[in-house]
Amino acid sequence: MLKNKVALVTGASRGIGKEIALTLASYGAIVIVNYNGSKDRALKVIEEIKANGGRGLAYQANVSDSGQVRQMIDDIKEEFGSIHILVNNAGITKDNLILRMSEEEFNEVIDINLKGVFNCLRSVSPIMIKQRYGRIINISSIVGIHGNPGQVNYSAAKAGVIGMTKSLAKELARRGITVNAVAPGYIDTDMTKILNEDLKEAIKQEIPLKRLGEAQDVANLVVFLASDNSSYITGQTIQVDGGLGI
Ligand code: NAP
């Protein structure tokens, strides 16, 4: 379905990004596994892609650094000739109640989760515009739609990602490029492992489907949005949340 498509997945060394990278590769895409600190884990993802007969490359770059992002995109273009699919997945949390949230905690989350997405969009867009083809998928969160106590920084960034998705979808539609956002609910990854068991149980009771999501639940939707089966869908934010954010 994605044979010979070149896909860049940011933050693909672990969690949701890793599963997206493996799934895109299983459908035939050549996958660039971007990471920031987890080199060994990124190399393992590439090993797994290759063991399954796929192609890919691990690439270190901090998405909040526009120079590093530009270099990464240039290098991918040089090596593979193009980028067809961009998945902006890299993200962090630095939770605190507003009275305790430091300026650093606010800035760091905005820099990685919002400006990081902008950096990648800006560097990849010229390539996609020139080839008049592209699939962009931004990973937001239901928290960007509904809010969450202790996550003023994170929800602002994730709401910003939804705004960018809508604007860019309108900007790039005439060039054969679709831009959509995915808003996961609670997905079982390192990011949610920090929640204690009692809280996890309480969250499960709130979720109509009565379970946390798996990274694969998100990856399945991303593959659809990255494929030509979704060519008439753009500017949308689709929730993968077991019904939590209805
Ligand atoms: P995770 O397990 O903590 O993984 C985060 C990934 O982002 C890692 O691969 C990490 O790479 C990468 N990353 C962090 N900072 C980076 C930077 N500056 N530059 C490049 N990569 C960076 O998180 P996750 O749960 O898979 O979340 C993935 C995305 O889904 C995030 O955008 C998150 O906000 C969103 N999301 C998650 C949930 C959830 O319940 N898990 C819910 C809604 C939305 P290194 O380890 O190499 O630094």
Side-chain angles (χ1 to χ4, degrees):
M1 190 160 68
L2 301 174
K3 202 161 173 40
N4 296 326
K5 292 280 189 332
V6 179
L8 166 61
V9 185
T10 67
S13 51
R14 301 184 275 125
I16 294 172
K18 171 186 169 181
E19 214 54 51
I20 291 170
L22 292 172
T23 310
L24 288 171
S26 76
Y27 282 94
I30 299 162
V31 181
I32 292 81
V33 170
N34 161 258
Y35 65 97
N36 188 30
S38 307
K39 182 177 182 184
D40 291 349
R41 297 181 75 165
L43 291 174
K44 281 220 174 77
V45 177
I46 292 298
E47 255 175 44
E48 203 173 327
I49 287 174
K50 289 187 174 162
N52 292 328
R55 283 177 72 191
L57 184 81
Y59 198 109
Q60 194 279 330
N62 180 345
V63 292
S64 69
D65 183 318
S66 59
Q68 289 185 25
V69 168
R70 198 173 307 119
Q71 189 63 53
M72 170 170 67
I73 306 294
D74 286 352
D75 288 348
I76 296 169
K77 175 92 170 38
E78 171 105 5
E79 172 99 17
F80 299 105
S82 181
I83 299 179
H84 305 97
I85 298 161
L86 167 65
V87 185
N88 281 307
N89 166 80
I92 60 161
T93 51
K94 293 267 167 187
D95 298 353
N96 233 331
L97 297 171
I98 189 70
L99 295 181
R100 295 202 200 112
M101 187 173 287
S102 67
E103 198 173 335
E104 288 72 31
E105 285 167 338
F106 184 81
N107 286 343
E108 205 182 331
V109 168
I110 297 293
D111 274 354
I112 294 174
N113 295 13
L114 184 61
K115 199 183 132 210
V117 176
F118 167 73
N119 288 337
C120 294
L121 294 174
R122 194 172 54 161
S123 289
V124 166
S125 290
I127 297 171
M128 291 185 172
I129 287 171
K130 201 159 171 221
Q131 72 198 9
R132 301 190 75 80
Y133 182 88
R135 294 277 179 272
I136 297 173
I137 299 112
N138 298 321
I139 307 300
S140 176
S141 165
I142 55 162
V143 167
I145 302 169
H146 300 284
N148 200 23
Q151 292 198 310
V152 157
N153 49 2
Y154 184 79
S155 59
K158 293 300 186 183
V161 166
I162 293 172
M164 286 203 289
T165 300
K166 291 179 183 174
S167 293
L168 197 64
K170 289 183 174 178
E171 238 176 88
L172 299 183
R174 283 180 305 129
R175 318 287 191 138
I177 301 164
T178 63
V179 189
N180 290 290
V182 173
Y186 287 92
I187 309 296
D188 192 11
T189 68
D190 291 348
M191 195 176 266
T192 44
K193 277 201 172 65
I194 49 170
L195 304 173
N196 71 45
E197 282 310 313
D198 288 350
L199 183 56
K200 268 194 200 165
E201 209 36 59
I203 290 167
K204 275 186 207 167
Q205 290 317 312
E206 292 284 309
I207 300 171
L209 288 178
K210 300 286 178 228
R211 67 169 175 90
L212 297 193
E214 301 291 333
Q216 188 67 60
D217 294 317
V218 180
N220 292 341
L221 174 60
V222 171
V223 165
F224 169 67
L225 293 172
S227 77
D228 288 337
N229 292 335
S230 64
S231 57
Y232 200 56
I233 300 172
T234 197
Q236 301 304 307
T237 300
I238 303 174
Q239 298 179 201
V240 180
D241 62 0
L244 183 62
I246 293 171

Tab-separated table of all heavy atoms in Angstrom, residues 137-188:
chain	number	residue	atom	x	y	z
A	137	ILE	N	0.712	13.964	8.977
A	137	ILE	CA	-0.118	13.546	10.116
A	137	ILE	C	0.537	14.084	11.383
A	137	ILE	O	1.698	13.774	11.685
A	137	ILE	CB	-0.242	12.002	10.180
A	137	ILE	CG1	-0.912	11.477	8.895
A	137	ILE	CG2	-1.086	11.588	11.390
A	137	ILE	CD1	-0.016	10.688	8.014
A	138	ASN	N	-0.201	14.917	12.105
A	138	ASN	CA	0.302	15.509	13.342
A	138	ASN	C	-0.352	14.819	14.543
A	138	ASN	O	-1.579	14.714	14.598
A	138	ASN	CB	-0.040	16.998	13.379
A	138	ASN	CG	0.609	17.759	12.235
A	138	ASN	OD1	1.754	17.472	11.875
A	138	ASN	ND2	-0.109	18.714	11.657
A	139	ILE	N	0.473	14.367	15.473
A	139	ILE	CA	-0.090	13.708	16.661
A	139	ILE	C	-0.383	14.778	17.718
A	139	ILE	O	0.531	15.372	18.295
A	139	ILE	CB	0.863	12.628	17.228
A	139	ILE	CG1	1.270	11.625	16.132
A	139	ILE	CG2	0.174	11.917	18.402
A	139	ILE	CD1	0.150	10.840	15.476
A	140	SER	N	-1.660	15.018	17.937
A	140	SER	CA	-2.110	15.957	18.962
A	140	SER	C	-2.484	15.138	20.199
A	140	SER	O	-1.805	14.170	20.543
A	140	SER	CB	-3.290	16.766	18.412
A	140	SER	OG	-3.814	17.615	19.397
A	141	SER	N	-3.576	15.478	20.846
A	141	SER	CA	-4.051	14.734	22.029
A	141	SER	C	-5.477	15.175	22.328
A	141	SER	O	-5.843	16.327	22.038
A	141	SER	CB	-3.163	15.063	23.230
A	141	SER	OG	-3.785	14.640	24.429
A	142	ILE	N	-6.248	14.303	22.964
A	142	ILE	CA	-7.597	14.743	23.377
A	142	ILE	C	-7.506	15.887	24.389
A	142	ILE	O	-8.435	16.668	24.525
A	142	ILE	CB	-8.473	13.599	23.950
A	142	ILE	CG1	-7.788	12.895	25.105
A	142	ILE	CG2	-8.872	12.609	22.878
A	142	ILE	CD1	-8.773	12.097	25.960
A	143	VAL	N	-6.341	15.979	25.053
A	143	VAL	CA	-6.134	17.069	26.016
A	143	VAL	C	-6.104	18.433	25.304
A	143	VAL	O	-6.453	19.452	25.886
A	143	VAL	CB	-4.832	16.786	26.812
A	143	VAL	CG1	-4.377	17.989	27.597
A	143	VAL	CG2	-5.034	15.592	27.736
A	144	GLY	N	-5.703	18.437	24.059
A	144	GLY	CA	-5.723	19.673	23.260
A	144	GLY	C	-7.138	20.094	22.882
A	144	GLY	O	-7.371	21.227	22.457
A	145	ILE	N	-8.097	19.188	23.025
A	145	ILE	CA	-9.504	19.490	22.725
A	145	ILE	C	-10.275	19.763	24.018
A	145	ILE	O	-11.031	20.721	24.110
A	145	ILE	CB	-10.165	18.301	21.973
A	145	ILE	CG1	-9.394	17.993	20.684
A	145	ILE	CG2	-11.641	18.586	21.681
A	145	ILE	CD1	-9.803	16.673	20.018
A	146	HIS	N	-10.031	18.920	25.022
A	146	HIS	CA	-10.862	18.975	26.233
A	146	HIS	C	-10.163	19.611	27.436
A	146	HIS	O	-10.822	19.921	28.429
A	146	HIS	CB	-11.306	17.557	26.619
A	146	HIS	CG	-12.108	16.908	25.540
A	146	HIS	ND1	-13.415	17.233	25.300
A	146	HIS	CD2	-11.782	15.984	24.610
A	146	HIS	CE1	-13.860	16.522	24.274
A	146	HIS	NE2	-12.889	15.762	23.839
A	147	GLY	N	-8.818	19.766	27.376
A	147	GLY	CA	-8.083	20.298	28.533
A	147	GLY	C	-7.888	19.234	29.607
A	147	GLY	O	-8.529	18.179	29.578
A	148	ASN	N	-6.969	19.513	30.556
A	148	ASN	CA	-6.689	18.577	31.641
A	148	ASN	C	-5.956	19.332	32.752
A	148	ASN	O	-4.992	20.038	32.464
A	148	ASN	CB	-5.788	17.441	31.122
A	148	ASN	CG	-5.831	16.211	31.994
A	148	ASN	OD1	-6.793	15.996	32.730
A	148	ASN	ND2	-4.794	15.408	31.921
A	149	PRO	N	-6.394	19.203	34.003
A	149	PRO	CA	-5.688	19.915	35.071
A	149	PRO	C	-4.226	19.487	35.133
A	149	PRO	O	-3.920	18.305	35.003
A	149	PRO	CB	-6.426	19.497	36.347
A	149	PRO	CG	-7.561	18.643	35.949
A	149	PRO	CD	-7.519	18.401	34.483
A	150	GLY	N	-3.337	20.443	35.337
A	150	GLY	CA	-1.901	20.132	35.434
A	150	GLY	C	-1.206	20.116	34.092
A	150	GLY	O	-0.002	19.857	34.015
A	151	GLN	N	-1.950	20.384	33.025
A	151	GLN	CA	-1.337	20.308	31.686
A	151	GLN	C	-1.620	21.566	30.841
A	151	GLN	O	-1.914	21.476	29.653
A	151	GLN	CB	-1.839	19.063	30.948
A	151	GLN	CG	-1.343	17.757	31.578
A	151	GLN	CD	-1.449	16.566	30.648
A	151	GLN	OE1	-2.495	16.320	30.066
A	151	GLN	NE2	-0.355	15.830	30.505
A	152	VAL	N	-1.515	22.719	31.480
A	152	VAL	CA	-1.739	23.973	30.750
A	152	VAL	C	-0.765	24.100	29.573
A	152	VAL	O	-1.157	24.495	28.470
A	152	VAL	CB	-1.608	25.167	31.739
A	152	VAL	CG1	-1.262	26.443	31.027
A	152	VAL	CG2	-2.905	25.336	32.522
A	153	ASN	N	0.504	23.741	29.826
A	153	ASN	CA	1.518	23.827	28.765
A	153	ASN	C	1.222	22.819	27.628
A	153	ASN	O	1.187	23.166	26.448
A	153	ASN	CB	2.927	23.605	29.347
A	153	ASN	CG	3.032	22.368	30.258
A	153	ASN	OD1	2.062	21.632	30.449
A	153	ASN	ND2	4.219	22.157	30.802
A	154	TYR	N	0.982	21.573	28.034
A	154	TYR	CA	0.784	20.481	27.070
A	154	TYR	C	-0.500	20.695	26.263
A	154	TYR	O	-0.518	20.518	25.042
A	154	TYR	CB	0.723	19.168	27.855
A	154	TYR	CG	0.619	17.909	27.045
A	154	TYR	CD1	1.732	17.354	26.425
A	154	TYR	CD2	-0.601	17.234	26.930
A	154	TYR	CE1	1.637	16.169	25.704
A	154	TYR	CE2	-0.706	16.051	26.208
A	154	TYR	CZ	0.418	15.521	25.604
A	154	TYR	OH	0.320	14.354	24.892
A	155	SER	N	-1.580	21.092	26.934
A	155	SER	CA	-2.848	21.270	26.212
A	155	SER	C	-2.769	22.453	25.256
A	155	SER	O	-3.353	22.422	24.174
A	155	SER	CB	-4.024	21.414	27.184
A	155	SER	OG	-3.822	22.509	28.040
A	156	ALA	N	-2.019	23.504	25.655
A	156	ALA	CA	-1.839	24.658	24.754
A	156	ALA	C	-1.099	24.216	23.492
A	156	ALA	O	-1.474	24.565	22.367
A	156	ALA	CB	-1.072	25.769	25.456
A	157	ALA	N	-0.035	23.425	23.685
A	157	ALA	CA	0.742	22.947	22.529
A	157	ALA	C	-0.116	22.060	21.630
A	157	ALA	O	-0.105	22.194	20.398
A	157	ALA	CB	1.974	22.174	23.013
A	158	LYS	N	-0.878	21.150	22.239
A	158	LYS	CA	-1.661	20.184	21.444
A	158	LYS	C	-2.841	20.861	20.750
A	158	LYS	O	-3.231	20.460	19.644
A	158	LYS	CB	-2.122	19.027	22.330
A	158	LYS	CG	-0.976	18.146	22.830
A	158	LYS	CD	-0.200	17.515	21.684
A	158	LYS	CE	0.840	16.520	22.129
A	158	LYS	NZ	1.627	15.957	21.021
A	159	ALA	N	-3.420	21.888	21.389
A	159	ALA	CA	-4.472	22.668	20.724
A	159	ALA	C	-3.853	23.450	19.564
A	159	ALA	O	-4.452	23.574	18.488
A	159	ALA	CB	-5.129	23.630	21.715
A	160	GLY	N	-2.635	23.959	19.785
A	160	GLY	CA	-1.923	24.677	18.720
A	160	GLY	C	-1.671	23.785	17.519
A	160	GLY	O	-1.782	24.224	16.369
A	161	VAL	N	-1.366	22.534	17.775
A	161	VAL	CA	-1.125	21.577	16.679
A	161	VAL	C	-2.399	21.402	15.839
A	161	VAL	O	-2.342	21.313	14.605
A	161	VAL	CB	-0.637	20.217	17.241
A	161	VAL	CG1	-0.697	19.122	16.191
A	161	VAL	CG2	0.783	20.361	17.775
A	162	ILE	N	-3.548	21.404	16.496
A	162	ILE	CA	-4.818	21.263	15.764
A	162	ILE	C	-5.048	22.504	14.898
A	162	ILE	O	-5.444	22.404	13.731
A	162	ILE	CB	-5.986	21.021	16.753
A	162	ILE	CG1	-5.817	19.650	17.423
A	162	ILE	CG2	-7.339	21.123	16.036
A	162	ILE	CD1	-6.790	19.362	18.555
A	163	GLY	N	-4.751	23.680	15.433
A	163	GLY	CA	-4.881	24.917	14.656
A	163	GLY	C	-3.963	24.924	13.449
A	163	GLY	O	-4.375	25.281	12.329
A	164	MET	N	-2.722	24.505	13.664
A	164	MET	CA	-1.754	24.449	12.550
A	164	MET	C	-2.225	23.463	11.486
A	164	MET	O	-2.069	23.699	10.284
A	164	MET	CB	-0.365	24.027	13.046
A	164	MET	CG	0.355	25.106	13.802
A	164	MET	SD	2.159	24.891	13.817
A	164	MET	CE	2.341	23.501	14.879
A	165	THR	N	-2.787	22.365	11.935
A	165	THR	CA	-3.271	21.327	11.007
A	165	THR	C	-4.342	21.909	10.083
A	165	THR	O	-4.303	21.711	8.854
A	165	THR	CB	-3.857	20.138	11.809
A	165	THR	OG1	-2.821	19.607	12.632
A	165	THR	CG2	-4.402	19.054	10.897
A	166	LYS	N	-5.286	22.639	10.661
A	166	LYS	CA	-6.380	23.203	9.853
A	166	LYS	C	-5.856	24.254	8.884
A	166	LYS	O	-6.244	24.277	7.704
A	166	LYS	CB	-7.444	23.822	10.776
A	166	LYS	CG	-8.206	22.791	11.575
A	166	LYS	CD	-9.216	23.476	12.486
A	166	LYS	CE	-9.922	22.442	13.349
A	166	LYS	NZ	-10.810	23.051	14.338
A	167	SER	N	-4.985	25.149	9.363
A	167	SER	CA	-4.453	26.208	8.488
A	167	SER	C	-3.636	25.624	7.347
A	167	SER	O	-3.794	26.019	6.186
A	167	SER	CB	-3.575	27.179	9.297
A	167	SER	OG	-4.377	27.881	10.201
A	168	LEU	N	-2.758	24.686	7.685
A	168	LEU	CA	-1.881	24.122	6.645
A	168	LEU	C	-2.673	23.266	5.656
A	168	LEU	O	-2.351	23.231	4.459
A	168	LEU	CB	-0.749	23.311	7.283
A	168	LEU	CG	0.428	23.044	6.348
A	168	LEU	CD1	1.117	24.347	5.950
A	168	LEU	CD2	1.448	22.121	6.993
A	169	ALA	N	-3.718	22.614	6.148
A	169	ALA	CA	-4.574	21.825	5.236
A	169	ALA	C	-5.154	22.757	4.168
A	169	ALA	O	-5.184	22.415	2.977
A	169	ALA	CB	-5.693	21.142	6.015
A	170	LYS	N	-5.599	23.948	4.591
A	170	LYS	CA	-6.155	24.905	3.622
A	170	LYS	C	-5.065	25.439	2.691
A	170	LYS	O	-5.296	25.641	1.503
A	170	LYS	CB	-6.820	26.068	4.366
A	170	LYS	CG	-8.114	25.651	5.041
A	170	LYS	CD	-8.812	26.805	5.720
A	170	LYS	CE	-10.176	26.338	6.240
A	170	LYS	NZ	-10.910	27.373	6.955
A	171	GLU	N	-3.872	25.662	3.252
A	171	GLU	CA	-2.767	26.212	2.463
A	171	GLU	C	-2.291	25.246	1.387
A	171	GLU	O	-1.948	25.648	0.277
A	171	GLU	CB	-1.597	26.506	3.408
A	171	GLU	CG	-1.141	27.946	3.397
A	171	GLU	CD	-0.036	28.177	4.432
A	171	GLU	OE1	1.143	27.993	4.094
A	171	GLU	OE2	-0.371	28.534	5.567
A	172	LEU	N	-2.251	23.959	1.710
A	172	LEU	CA	-1.591	22.998	0.827
A	172	LEU	C	-2.532	22.107	0.018
A	172	LEU	O	-2.088	21.281	-0.780
A	172	LEU	CB	-0.641	22.100	1.650
A	172	LEU	CG	0.500	22.825	2.375
A	172	LEU	CD1	1.395	21.822	3.095
A	172	LEU	CD2	1.339	23.668	1.419
A	173	ALA	N	-3.842	22.299	0.216
A	173	ALA	CA	-4.809	21.387	-0.432
A	173	ALA	C	-4.655	21.376	-1.955
A	173	ALA	O	-4.726	20.324	-2.586
A	173	ALA	CB	-6.232	21.778	-0.038
A	174	ARG	N	-4.420	22.557	-2.530
A	174	ARG	CA	-4.338	22.633	-4.006
A	174	ARG	C	-3.094	21.950	-4.557
A	174	ARG	O	-2.938	21.778	-5.758
A	174	ARG	CB	-4.329	24.106	-4.447
A	174	ARG	CG	-5.708	24.743	-4.380
A	174	ARG	CD	-5.659	26.185	-4.831
A	174	ARG	NE	-4.655	26.934	-4.051
A	174	ARG	CZ	-3.698	27.686	-4.578
A	174	ARG	NH1	-3.571	27.818	-5.874
A	174	ARG	NH2	-2.859	28.331	-3.801
A	175	ARG	N	-2.168	21.590	-3.668
A	175	ARG	CA	-0.910	20.963	-4.111
A	175	ARG	C	-0.920	19.453	-3.934
A	175	ARG	O	0.134	18.829	-3.939
A	175	ARG	CB	0.270	21.531	-3.319
A	175	ARG	CG	0.217	23.014	-3.107
A	175	ARG	CD	0.526	23.768	-4.373
A	175	ARG	NE	0.720	25.169	-4.064
A	175	ARG	CZ	1.671	25.927	-4.592
A	175	ARG	NH1	2.482	25.418	-5.488
A	175	ARG	NH2	1.788	27.172	-4.260
A	176	GLY	N	-2.074	18.881	-3.678
A	176	GLY	CA	-2.143	17.418	-3.529
A	176	GLY	C	-1.634	16.919	-2.186
A	176	GLY	O	-1.247	15.758	-2.049
A	177	ILE	N	-1.630	17.817	-1.212
A	177	ILE	CA	-1.102	17.445	0.106
A	177	ILE	C	-2.238	17.475	1.130
A	177	ILE	O	-2.967	18.470	1.221
A	177	ILE	CB	0.012	18.428	0.547
A	177	ILE	CG1	1.143	18.428	-0.483
A	177	ILE	CG2	0.512	18.095	1.943
A	177	ILE	CD1	2.095	19.615	-0.359
A	178	THR	N	-2.403	16.407	1.882
A	178	THR	CA	-3.393	16.407	2.960
A	178	THR	C	-2.681	16.548	4.302
A	178	THR	O	-1.541	16.094	4.468
A	178	THR	CB	-4.255	15.127	2.969
A	178	THR	OG1	-3.405	14.004	3.211
A	178	THR	CG2	-5.004	14.946	1.658
A	179	VAL	N	-3.355	17.227	5.222
A	179	VAL	CA	-2.792	17.464	6.555
A	179	VAL	C	-3.873	17.142	7.587
A	179	VAL	O	-4.928	17.781	7.595
A	179	VAL	CB	-2.360	18.943	6.728
A	179	VAL	CG1	-1.587	19.125	8.034
A	179	VAL	CG2	-1.539	19.443	5.541
A	180	ASN	N	-3.627	16.144	8.406
A	180	ASN	CA	-4.613	15.752	9.412
A	180	ASN	C	-3.944	15.577	10.768
A	180	ASN	O	-2.722	15.406	10.857
A	180	ASN	CB	-5.292	14.433	9.004
A	180	ASN	CG	-6.204	14.621	7.808
A	180	ASN	OD1	-7.266	15.248	7.904
A	180	ASN	ND2	-5.789	14.104	6.650
A	181	ALA	N	-4.757	15.638	11.808
A	181	ALA	CA	-4.248	15.401	13.166
A	181	ALA	C	-4.920	14.168	13.755
A	181	ALA	O	-6.067	13.857	13.438
A	181	ALA	CB	-4.519	16.618	14.047
A	182	VAL	N	-4.169	13.490	14.610
A	182	VAL	CA	-4.701	12.360	15.367
A	182	VAL	C	-4.635	12.756	16.839
A	182	VAL	O	-3.601	13.247	17.303
A	182	VAL	CB	-3.864	11.087	15.106
A	182	VAL	CG1	-4.299	9.959	16.018
A	182	VAL	CG2	-3.967	10.677	13.639
A	183	ALA	N	-5.731	12.580	17.542
A	183	ALA	CA	-5.772	12.948	18.960
A	183	ALA	C	-5.992	11.696	19.809
A	183	ALA	O	-7.133	11.275	20.028
A	183	ALA	CB	-6.883	13.963	19.202
A	184	PRO	N	-4.892	11.096	20.284
A	184	PRO	CA	-5.045	9.907	21.130
A	184	PRO	C	-5.586	10.273	22.513
A	184	PRO	O	-5.390	11.390	22.993
A	184	PRO	CB	-3.616	9.366	21.257
A	184	PRO	CG	-2.820	10.047	20.190
A	184	PRO	CD	-3.463	11.377	19.999
A	185	GLY	N	-6.249	9.296	23.125
A	185	GLY	CA	-6.627	9.418	24.532
A	185	GLY	C	-5.486	8.874	25.371
A	185	GLY	O	-4.332	9.247	25.159
A	186	TYR	N	-5.786	7.962	26.318
A	186	TYR	CA	-4.723	7.375	27.144
A	186	TYR	C	-4.175	6.131	26.452
A	186	TYR	O	-4.878	5.134	26.303
A	186	TYR	CB	-5.256	7.017	28.532
A	186	TYR	CG	-5.482	8.248	29.373
A	186	TYR	CD1	-6.719	8.880	29.380
A	186	TYR	CD2	-4.456	8.806	30.133
A	186	TYR	CE1	-6.934	10.030	30.127
A	186	TYR	CE2	-4.654	9.954	30.884
A	186	TYR	CZ	-5.895	10.550	30.875
A	186	TYR	OH	-6.102	11.697	31.612
A	187	ILE	N	-2.906	6.213	26.040
A	187	ILE	CA	-2.264	5.103	25.342
A	187	ILE	C	-1.157	4.552	26.249
A	187	ILE	O	-0.415	5.329	26.875
A	187	ILE	CB	-1.663	5.579	23.989
A	187	ILE	CG1	-2.701	6.352	23.149
A	187	ILE	CG2	-1.082	4.401	23.215
A	187	ILE	CD1	-3.907	5.581	22.686
A	188	ASP	N	-1.037	3.233	26.297
A	188	ASP	CA	-0.077	2.590	27.176
A	188	ASP	C	1.351	2.724	26.623
A	188	ASP	O	1.763	1.950	25.758
A	188	ASP	CB	-0.474	1.108	27.301
A	188	ASP	CG	0.282	0.434	28.424
A	188	ASP	OD1	0.941	1.139	29.213
A	188	ASP	OD2	0.216	-0.808	28.505
